Amino acid sequence: MKTDINFIAQVLSHYQISQIQINGECTDIRSIEFLTETRTSIEPDVLYFGQSAAMKKYLPLQNTLNMIFQEDLPNDFMDIPNLNMIVLPRNLDFLSIFNEVQDALIKEKKYNLWSYELLAQLTHHEGIDSIVKIGYQMLGNPICVTDLSYNTIAITRDKNVDDDPVWNELYTKGYSIYDTSSLYINADLYHFKGNSFPPFYWQDTVSKYRKILCSIDVGNKPAGHLAVIEYEKPFGDDDIKLVSILREALSAEFQINKNIYSSDGTRHKSILRDILSGKTKDKESIEDKGQLLKFPLNVDMYAITIKPGDVSIIPGDSLEYLCNTLENLISNSKTVAYEGNVFMLVYCNKTRNLFKEDFQILYKFLLENKMKAGVSRCLYSLVDLRAHYLQSLHALRLGKILKDKNAIYFYEDYAIFHMMEAGSSQGKLQEYCHPSLLSLMDYDRQNNTSFTKTLYEFIKNSCSIADTANILKIHRTSLIYRLEKIKEIMNVDLNDNNILLLLHLSLKMVEYSDRNINLLGFNTVNFYK
């Protein structure tokens, strides 16, 4: 803050000021002195206490003169150029006022020095840890900075507060567990004054020590929280002011380094990002944070990744807009923009086949907006979330490779191709393909027949004669003839379950190979169309 005549007036505002007049430049005041008749010169950065008689010899004023008077002044003093003055009542103790102003200037000088020190840290990009270290020197008490999900971003590392359970969690675990977070949420602290709040004193039933708490804001929105604990020394009268200065520096650091925090300002998004990225990966941490998502217990969950496609058709901040739209569209869902896509976690008390309604809504939305989605297998614990997120990505990728025209790709339908892809990295898939199937495809090519397709549909339909004949639109007798011919060509027993499993896998290998630049290394038969 600028320590000019207006600052002095603010310091003395609790007195009944008789007159404030500003006729000169509002210069910064660095010191205060008594103005005596023996003084030979005046300085614009000094505040003088004195009588009107002592200043008359300096008239007309060539530079700004800052004065405090305690007397009745002639009216013509109001119009003296370059004179800034405060007039106080006669009944006040002049010496006490002098000391009060001097103390205020010393404090403000201290605030400015700390501000310059913090600015130097920001200018040299020393990082948030260095800012917290400066903050500890300023306040003489431990400091903690967290994001909106109560993850510790920075904390005074050489000063753990063992006997305060809340602080100890942030120090040792690096996050606040569900019960502790709920305490603050229920106290409405993190929704104070429109999701942003200045420093104030706080004492709760769990913590042993008082704290000063405030939000750290970016663009008038909270991006994190700052806490100072009254551990090493009692809070002082100017600590709120010092925390405000520290808060401004942290806000600037958050603005410079947006990787520190979750810019959307929503708790569940930050939690999901931490789990998806692997930042939070141990079981205890994931389960603690998972409770903050407030999903019911014992529910089925699905990880869904949505590729936005042409985001130009989506107004505003495209991915965030898409996240909000999908959360409103699909009940029981949480979304987050992640790695250029939208990740959605959906829960339900039913199996996939029983909550088709939600998927029908999603399917329609994806078609209308020319988007694609990959859906994982069902997961039952957030500990497995990252693995299932990767499943949704594999489903998207494999669906594209296999030229599937659907808008939603279920990993369940592509898992076998994922397995084959892993196998193909070790060598040609031909080595794993059942040789009798290769003989049957060779026979089809030479004789222009479709026995491979017949075998594929037969196995695909659980060896049902009726269902397979219906799919192929042939008579049962014709199907039985074909199956006998297939047995003859392949020289296999189609009643053997092990043989059927190997043939089914081999057929899937051929399908994957044919749609993926022919990994088998020879011409195949399009039996799967």
Side-chain angles (χ1 to χ4, degrees):
M1 179 181 287
K2 191 174 182 180
T3 54
D4 57 12
I5 194 71
N6 292 303
F7 168 77
I8 303 301
Q10 185 178 345
V11 171
L12 301 176
S13 60
H14 58 286
Y15 296 112
Q16 187 176 359
I17 298 176
S18 302
Q19 182 72 41
I20 300 175
Q21 190 69 33
I22 300 175
N23 295 331
E25 180 184 355
C26 290
T27 55
D28 270 323
I29 296 169
R30 294 188 296 178
S31 63
I32 58 174
E33 298 179 14
F34 286 106
L35 184 64
T36 63
E37 294 183 359
T38 58
R39 178 174 290 279
T40 58
S41 64
I42 56 172
E43 302 296 333
D45 59 356
V46 176
L47 174 65
Y48 295 98
F49 282 66
Q51 301 296 318
S52 57
M55 63 154 285
K56 285 184 178 180
K57 70 176 182 178
Y58 302 106
L59 297 177
L61 296 173
Q62 301 302 313
N63 296 309
T64 297
L65 173 62
N66 296 297
M67 285 287 304
I68 290 184
F69 296 108
Q70 197 175 16
E71 61 179 308
D72 295 329
L73 296 174
N75 290 333
D76 59 355
F77 263 64
M78 301 300 109
D79 300 320
I80 296 176
N82 292 327
L83 175 62
N84 298 333
M85 66 177 181
I86 297 173
V87 182
L88 296 173
R90 289 177 177 273
N91 60 343
L92 299 179
D93 183 357
F94 212 54
L95 186 58
S96 297
I97 293 171
F98 183 97
N99 291 334
E100 185 175 345
V101 172
Q102 183 168 255
D103 289 345
L105 286 172
I106 290 172
K107 277 188 177 182
E108 199 62 32
K109 183 178 181 180
K110 179 177 70 171
Y111 299 153
N112 289 336
L113 288 173
W114 285 125
S115 296
Y116 296 147
E117 181 70 24
L118 289 168
L119 179 61
Q121 301 298 313
L122 291 167
T123 303
H124 294 95
H125 305 289
E126 296 293 336
I128 195 166
D129 288 327
S130 67
I131 294 175
V132 168
K133 286 180 181 178
I134 298 296
Y136 174 66
Q137 295 171 20
M138 291 168 58
L139 292 150
N141 275 312
I143 294 167
C144 182
V145 177
T146 66
D147 63 17
L148 294 177
S149 296
Y150 319 112
N151 297 308
T152 302
I153 296 175
I155 195 168
T156 306
R157 279 292 165 196
D158 55 347
K159 295 292 178 182
N160 185 25
V161 186
D162 296 313
D163 55 346
D164 187 290
V166 175
W167 200 270
N168 194 44
E169 280 176 10
L170 295 168
Y171 186 91
T172 58
K173 291 177 177 286
Y175 62 90
S176 183
I177 65 171
Y178 176 71
D179 290 341
T180 305
S181 301
S182 298
L183 168 72
Y184 290 94
I185 294 169
N186 293 334
D188 211 29
L189 286 178
Y190 297 110
H191 302 280
F192 190 75
K193 289 190 178 180
N195 288 333
S196 174
F197 52 91
F200 70 101
Y201 295 107
W202 168 258
Q203 177 75 65
D204 56 63
T205 57
V206 178
S207 302
K208 183 176 179 180
Y209 302 99
R210 278 200 311 166
K211 298 181 180 70
I212 297 176
L213 303 177
C214 66
S215 62
I216 301 169
D217 301 339
V218 173
N220 296 320
K221 293 183 178 180
H225 304 124
L226 168 63
V228 182
I229 188 167
E230 191 178 34
Y231 181 64
E232 294 190 41
K233 72 179 188 65
F235 286 141
D237 294 337
D238 57 350
D239 279 359
I240 291 290
K241 174 67 175 179
L242 290 171
V243 172
S244 296
I245 294 169
L246 180 60
R247 179 195 189 200
E248 290 179 6
L250 289 168
S251 293
E253 178 65 20
F254 273 43
Q255 185 77 34
I256 294 168
N257 185 3
K258 289 184 170 58
N259 293 326
I260 293 175
Y261 70 99
S262 170
S263 61
D264 50 62
T266 306
R267 186 182 307 110
H268 77 262
K269 295 180 186 294
S270 180
I271 293 170
L272 289 175
R273 282 197 192 98
D274 287 349
I275 298 175
L276 293 175
S277 66
K279 181 179 177 181
T280 302
K281 55 188 176 182
D282 65 280
K283 182 178 179 181
E284 182 184 3
S285 298
I286 291 175
E287 289 177 345
D288 283 344
K289 292 183 180 181
Q291 292 184 69
L292 293 170
L293 294 177
K294 296 185 178 179
F295 275 15
L297 298 175
N298 303 318
V299 294
D300 296 341
M301 294 178 286
Y302 292 87
I304 303 174
T305 299
I306 297 167
K307 200 168 230 10
D310 184 6
V311 297
S312 63
I313 65 176
I314 306 172
D317 189 349
S318 57
L319 284 182
E320 288 307 320
Y321 177 87
L322 184 54
C323 283
N324 295 333
T325 300
L326 288 166
E327 281 195 23
N328 292 329
L329 194 66
I330 306 299
S331 59
N332 304 328
S333 66
K334 301 287 186 184
T335 62
V336 62
Y338 186 69
E339 294 186 336
N341 300 317
V342 171
F343 175 79
M344 174 184 284
L345 181 62
V346 181
Y347 75 86
C348 65
N349 296 310
K350 313 166 187 176
T351 64
R352 167 185 153 188
N353 293 329
L354 294 178
F355 72 112
K356 286 185 177 178
E357 183 177 343
D358 276 344
F359 278 108
Q360 287 172 354
I361 295 171
L362 178 60
Y363 186 81
K364 181 181 178 183
F365 177 84
L366 295 173
L367 283 179
E368 289 175 350
N369 293 283
K370 299 179 181 179
M371 300 178 186
K372 302 286 186 180
V375 182
S376 73
R377 284 171 168 162
C378 183
L379 70 147
Y380 307 99
S381 169
L382 290 176
V383 174
D384 303 318
L385 180 60
R386 176 167 170 76
H388 284 69
Y389 161 66
L390 295 176
Q391 286 181 7
S392 68
L393 291 180
H394 288 311
L396 271 171
R397 183 175 49 78
L398 290 166
K400 182 178 180 181
I401 288 174
L402 297 172
K403 298 180 175 63
D404 195 325
K405 295 182 180 180
N406 288 325
I408 300 180
Y409 305 132
F410 291 94
Y411 180 77
E412 193 68 57
D413 298 332
Y414 297 94
I416 191 168
F417 297 114
H418 188 205
M419 178 181 68
M420 291 170 189
E421 184 180 58
S424 68
S425 65
Q426 305 300 320
K428 287 186 177 181
L429 283 176
Q430 183 178 358
E431 299 174 9
Y432 304 98
C433 198
H434 200 283
S436 65
L437 177 62
L438 305 182
S439 300
L440 183 64
M441 288 193 297
D442 187 52
Y443 183 91
D444 278 342
R445 281 193 298 272
Q446 293 180 21
N447 296 280
N448 197 27
T449 53
S450 59
F451 289 133
T452 305
K453 181 174 179 62
T454 299
L455 177 63
Y456 177 73
E457 293 297 342
F458 179 66
I459 296 175
K460 182 180 175 183
N461 287 280
S462 304
C463 301
S464 168
I465 296 291
D467 291 344
T468 306
N470 185 52
I471 292 291
L472 295 174
K473 298 180 180 179
I474 61 175
H475 196 273
R476 287 170 54 93
T477 305
S478 298
L479 176 58
I480 292 171
Y481 167 77
R482 289 189 187 184
L483 292 174
E484 290 299 323
K485 187 66 176 176
I486 289 170
K487 291 178 185 178
E488 178 184 331
I489 296 169
M490 299 179 70
N491 192 27
V492 295
D493 181 5
L494 295 182
N495 294 316
D496 187 324
N497 288 331
N498 288 330
I499 293 294
L500 288 172
L501 174 61
L502 292 172
L503 290 175
H504 196 187
L505 288 171
S506 297
L507 287 163
K508 287 293 184 182
M509 288 179 197
V510 173
E511 180 182 355
Y512 174 75
S513 170
D514 189 47
R515 296 186 180 190
N516 195 28
I517 323 177
N518 194 9
L519 291 176
L520 285 175
F522 59 83
N523 292 330
T524 57
V525 179
N526 293 342
F527 57 85
Y528 45 83
K529 293 183 178 178

